[in-house]
C-alpha cells in the first residue's frame, strides 16, 4: 500500500517558520473559533483557489492531507483508501467514518461527487487529469507532496495551507508550536543519554518475488531531516530521489554503513511483505554479520507511524526513536 505513494507520484526551530501564501477575509480570528468569510488562496502549484468560506465538507485524496485535516479538527467526509490509512497512520486516527473514495492514485469521481464536498484536498502527486476532473466537482487545492530541499518546512507549510482553507489557522499555529517543542524535547533527551551525533540509519523494506528491497531514508527525506533536527547523524551515503529523499539498496548495501550505526525500521503486522528485517533477513548471513545486528542495535519502531505524514506522525516518530535509543 505505501508504495502507491511513489508510484502515484537538521533543521532548527528557527528554520521551521515558513508561512503559507494566500489571503483570508476577514483577518484570522484569534478567539480559537473558526474564521469566516470568503477565502482566496494560492495552492502548492500556484493556482488561485476561491472559497465562499472555510471548507467543512472536505475530501482528501492522500494520507498526509488526511492527517493534517484530522489534526486541525476537520473530519474529512471522504478519504482515499480508508483501510490503508487506518493501517499505516494510527498516530493520528480518524475520528469519524468517512466514505472511501477509492485508491490514492485513482479516486472515484462518482463517489466524490456523491459527497457534494465544498473542497477537495489533493497533492501534487495526483495526475493532472484527475485534478481536472475533481475541479468539475468542487474547488481543489494541491499541496506539494515533498520537497527534498526542505521537508519539515514543506510539511508545516502544507498544514498552514489546509488550515487557511478550513478556517483553522489558530490550530495550525498550535500544531507548529507542539512540533517544535517535541523536537527540542527529543534533542535534549538524546543529548542527555549521550546519543547526540550518533550515526543513525532509518529504513523500511519489502519483499517481492522472494527478493528483499531496502529503502533508505536519506538526509533529504522528511524522516532524515527530523533525525538531524533531534541531533542524530544520518549514516546513509546512498543518494535519495529529488523529491522524497528515498534511496534504494539491498542487504549487501548495508555493509557500507559505519560500524557504530544505530539502525531502525518500521514494519506492519498487517502487511507481512513489509517486515523483512525480522522475517526474510533473519537467517541471511550478510545481515547477521552486520555490526549493528551483532551488537543488538537494531530497533523496530512502532507500527502506524506514517513516514510521509504531518506533525502528529513526526512527533510519534521522535518519541519512538528516543525511546529506542535511551531505553
Amino acid at each position: 500500500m505505501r508504495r502507491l505513494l511513489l508510484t502515484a507520484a537538521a533543521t532548527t526551530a528557527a528554520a521551521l517558520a515558513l508561512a503559507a501564501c494566500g489571503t483570508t477575509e476577514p483577518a484570522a480570528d484569534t478567539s480559537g473559533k473558526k474564521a469566516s468569510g470568503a477565502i482566496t488562496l494560492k495552492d502548492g502549484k500556484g493556482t488561485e483557489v476561491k472559497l465562499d468560506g472555510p471548507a467543512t465538507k472536505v475530501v482528501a485524496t492522500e494520507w498526509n492531507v488526511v492527517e493534517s485535516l484530522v489534526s486541525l479538527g476537520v473530519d474529512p467526509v471522504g478519504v482515499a483508501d480508508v483501510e490503508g490509512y487506518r493501517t499505516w497512520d494510527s498516530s493520528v486516527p480518524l475520528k469519524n467514518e468517512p466514505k472511501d473514495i477509492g485508491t490514492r492514485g485513482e479516486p472515484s469521481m462518482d463517489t466524490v461527487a456523491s459527497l457534494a464536498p465544498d473542497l477537495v484536498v489533493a497533492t501534487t502527486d495526483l495526475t493532472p487529469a484527475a485534478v481536472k476532473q475533481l475541479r468539475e466537482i468542487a474547488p481543489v487545492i494541491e499541496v506539494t507532496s515533498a520537497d527534498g530541499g526542505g521537508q519539515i518546512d514543506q510539511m508545516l507549510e502544507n498544514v498552514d495551507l489546509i488550515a487557511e482553507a478550513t478556517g483553522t489557522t489558530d490550530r495550525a499555529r498550535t500544531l507548529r508550536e507542539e512540533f517544535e517543542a517535541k523536537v527540542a524535547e527529543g534533542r535534549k533527551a538524546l543529548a542527555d543519554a549521550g546519543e547526540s551525533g550518533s550515526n543513525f540509519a532509518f529504513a523500511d523494506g519489502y519483499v517481492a518475488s522472494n527478493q528483499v528491497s531496502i529503502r533508505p531514508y536519506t538526509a533529504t527525506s522528511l524522516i532524515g531531516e527530523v533525525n538531524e533536527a533531534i541531533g542524530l547523524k544520518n549514516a546513509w551515503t546512498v543518494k535519495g530521489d529529488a523529491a522524497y529523499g528515498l534511496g534504494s539498496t539491498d542487504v549487501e548495501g548495508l555493509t557500507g554503513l559505519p560500524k557504530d550505526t544505530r539502525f531502525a525500521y518500521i514494519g506492519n503486522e498487517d502487511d507481512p511483505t513489509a517486515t523483512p528485517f525480522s522475517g526474510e533477513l533473519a537467517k541471511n548471513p550478510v545481515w547477521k554479520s552486520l555490526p549493528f545486528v551483532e551488537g543488538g542495535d537494531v530497533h523496530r519502531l512502532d507500527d502506524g507511524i506514517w513516514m510521509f505524514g504531518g506533525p502528529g506522525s513526526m512527533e510519534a516518530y521522535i518519541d519512538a526513536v528516543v525511546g529506542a535509543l535511551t531505553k
Side-chain angles (χ1 to χ4, degrees):
M1 287 179 286
R2 67 189 147 166
R3 258 73 69 193
L4 289 175
L5 178 82
L6 299 180
T7 58
T11 68
T12 62
L16 302 178
L18 182 62
C21 56
T23 57
T24 302
E25 302 173 1
D29 183 0
T30 57
S31 66
K33 298 179 181 179
K34 286 189 175 182
S36 61
I39 297 170
T40 299
L41 53 83
K42 287 187 178 181
D43 69 7
K45 281 195 170 179
T47 302
E48 186 176 275
V49 179
K50 295 183 179 181
L51 303 172
D52 293 335
T56 57
K57 294 181 66 178
V58 185
V59 167
T61 70
E62 184 54 85
W63 295 342
N64 59 336
V65 298
V66 173
E67 179 181 321
S68 292
L69 285 164
V70 176
S71 296
L72 290 167
V74 179
D75 294 325
V77 297
V79 167
D81 188 3
V82 173
E83 181 181 356
Y85 182 88
R86 289 186 170 131
T87 297
W88 286 100
D89 197 343
S90 58
S91 299
V92 184
L94 293 167
K95 298 178 181 178
N96 65 333
E97 295 293 333
K99 184 74 173 179
D100 194 309
I101 64 165
T103 69
R104 292 146 61 201
E106 297 181 359
S108 166
M109 300 302 162
D110 288 342
T111 304
V112 174
S114 72
L115 296 171
D118 48 24
L119 178 68
V120 176
V121 184
T123 73
T124 52
D125 280 344
L126 193 61
T127 65
V131 172
K132 182 179 179 180
Q133 287 181 282
L134 288 170
R135 286 205 168 104
E136 295 173 358
I137 300 170
V140 177
I141 60 172
E142 295 177 83
V143 304
T144 301
S145 301
D147 181 355
Q151 303 284 16
I152 292 177
D153 285 347
Q154 187 63 62
M155 173 188 74
L156 293 172
E157 183 179 355
N158 288 347
V159 172
D160 287 346
L161 177 61
I162 296 170
E164 191 174 5
T166 56
T168 55
T169 54
D170 286 346
R171 177 57 185 158
R173 283 191 289 270
T174 299
L175 291 177
R176 180 186 292 269
E177 292 166 359
E178 290 173 347
F179 173 72
E180 292 174 352
K182 180 62 68 175
V183 169
E185 175 188 310
R187 176 181 283 273
K188 183 179 185 304
L190 291 176
D192 289 347
E195 291 291 346
S196 183
S198 293
N199 281 309
F200 187 78
F202 175 85
D204 62 10
Y206 55 95
V207 182
S209 302
N210 296 318
Q211 296 294 317
V212 174
S213 295
I214 297 169
R215 187 165 62 172
Y217 286 63
T218 73
T220 60
S221 68
L222 176 57
I223 291 290
E225 283 197 15
V226 171
N227 288 336
E228 293 191 6
I230 60 177
L232 298 172
K233 181 180 178 181
N234 199 302
W236 293 113
T237 57
V238 298
K239 185 177 181 179
D241 70 278
Y244 288 94
L246 301 176
S248 179
T249 190
D250 53 20
V251 65
E252 285 77 13
L254 301 180
T255 60
L257 290 169
K259 292 182 179 181
D260 61 350
T261 295
R262 282 94 166 108
F263 188 89
Y265 68 94
I266 281 177
N268 199 292
E269 289 297 341
D270 293 329
D271 185 353
T273 69
T275 316
F277 303 104
S278 58
E280 281 76 0
L281 291 179
K283 296 181 180 180
N284 183 287
V286 176
W287 171 257
K288 291 168 64 176
S289 69
L290 295 169
F292 48 85
V293 177
E294 290 182 335
D297 219 343
V298 176
H299 310 278
R300 177 172 177 172
L301 305 185
D302 301 332
D303 288 11
I305 300 173
W306 185 227
M307 293 82 74
F308 311 95
S313 284
M314 294 304 102
E315 289 174 28
Y317 174 79
I318 291 171
D319 284 339
V321 170
V322 170
L325 297 187
T326 62
K327 65 182 178 182

